[in-house]
Amino acid sequence: MSLTAEHLRAGHRPDIPVLDDVGIEIPRGRTIGLTGPSGAGKTTLARVCALLHRPWSGRVSVDGAVVSGRAEAPPETRRAIAMLFQSPRQSTSPRLTLERIVTEPLLIARVPRRQRSDVVHAAAARVGLTADLLTRRPHQVSDGQLQRACLARALVQRPRYLICDEMTAMLDPATTAAVVAVLREETRTGLGVLAVSHDHALLRAWADDVVELPVNAGARTP
Ligand SMILES: Nc1ncnc2c1ncn2[C@@H]1O[C@H](COP(=O)(O)OP(=O)(O)OP(=O)(O)O)[C@@H](O)[C@H]1O
């Protein structure tokens, strides 16, 4: 069981591929580190794996089922993949409380109201967010606290795969360690993680395998 990308060719500008015949496999229960020089295409690859960026060619499959894009994927496949970004502020609404932010996947999945609160509070406790913090809005908490809320939001979705794009880059060492500890527990129960980072020491401690993405010739073309 894995999230697999094969022979990907993808980019942002016509005829200038960022990824040219690139592949990666994220098995369930393992953390794959992804590193490489700036501009190599790590974020592009992460977004293709999360079905957020459509490749020009190649194949993405989730547990054996080929997926052509997020819009076409069945809800069950969309729910199977969650993504965490470097900046939690760009992936949360400033108008919502942290509790409402964490609740979001349960609203989408139409989980009954009486079950939602227990699930959200359990996930918040898991990532080290107190009930008081859950009542605040993003501008009233630190980046680390908001990233913990984003992690809780991802956990309540119960994804099979989690794509983390530099998710610890804005965090202090204690928060990074806490977040990585939660994710390592999740991998033990079957979550597959792609961890994109420039921090080699972090990936050595966190990942089971580390893949280096070289800059390809197409990406260097002006
Ligand atoms: N939306 C976009 N429009 C045009 N070009 C883009 C876009 N996003 C990324 N690129 C280009 O694609 C290439 C790969 O970018 P990407 O962000 O995937 O690399 P990266 O390895 O994650 O880099 P970094 O380590 O600096 O975050 C770069 O040359 C970048 O300028």
Side-chain angles (χ1 to χ4, degrees):
M1 300 279 257
S2 64
L3 196 172
T4 307
E6 296 166 284
H7 303 298
L8 293 180
R9 200 173 145 82
H12 305 275
R13 287 179 293 171
D15 302 328
I16 306 179
V18 173
L19 306 175
D20 197 359
D21 200 17
V22 168
I24 195 160
E25 182 179 10
I26 310 160
R28 293 203 57 188
R30 291 184 77 78
T31 299
I32 306 301
L34 178 64
T35 191
S38 185
K42 302 180 296 298
T43 292
T44 306
L45 178 55
R47 292 178 63 85
V48 170
C49 289
L51 312 179
L52 296 173
H53 184 92
R54 190 186 291 269
W56 299 338
S57 60
R59 208 161 72 141
V60 178
S61 53
V62 181
D63 298 334
V66 175
V67 189
S68 51
R70 200 165 180 92
E72 297 85 354
E76 195 264 332
T77 304
R78 288 204 292 269
R79 271 200 300 275
I81 308 171
M83 185 158 180
L84 289 167
F85 302 88
Q86 176 171 345
S87 168
R89 298 202 186 271
Q90 283 172 16
S91 57
T92 50
S93 166
R95 289 176 292 109
L96 302 178
T97 63
L98 267 55
E99 177 160 6
R100 174 65 177 68
I101 287 168
V102 177
T103 306
E104 207 159 297
L106 303 179
L107 295 170
I108 293 169
R110 298 174 190 277
V111 172
R113 179 192 291 267
R114 60 184 180 283
Q115 288 168 25
R116 292 199 298 253
S117 176
D118 286 352
V119 174
V120 166
H121 282 85
R126 188 91 202 285
V127 301
L129 281 181
T130 58
D132 158 60
L133 288 169
L134 283 180
T135 65
R136 301 193 200 173
R137 290 185 164 72
H139 70 277
Q140 297 167 316
V141 299
S142 68
D143 285 337
Q145 289 163 340
L146 193 54
Q147 192 64 294
R148 285 176 195 249
C150 289
L151 174 57
R153 176 176 61 183
L155 294 181
V156 305
Q157 187 179 324
R158 301 183 65 79
R160 286 177 261 152
Y161 301 97
L162 183 62
I163 312 297
C164 304
D165 188 4
E166 294 281 4
M167 73 157 294
T168 62
M170 293 170 75
L171 308 182
D172 62 69
T175 307
T176 297
V179 161
V180 168
V182 171
L183 289 176
R184 288 180 63 87
E185 275 172 28
E186 289 292 314
T187 51
R188 276 198 284 277
T189 57
L191 183 71
V193 174
L194 179 68
V196 177
S197 180
H198 285 284
D199 185 338
H200 290 244
L202 173 71
L203 290 184
R204 270 197 303 277
W206 178 10
D208 299 298
D209 295 301
V210 178
V211 175
E212 169 99 20
L213 190 64
V215 178
N216 91 64
R220 284 197 298 268
T221 307

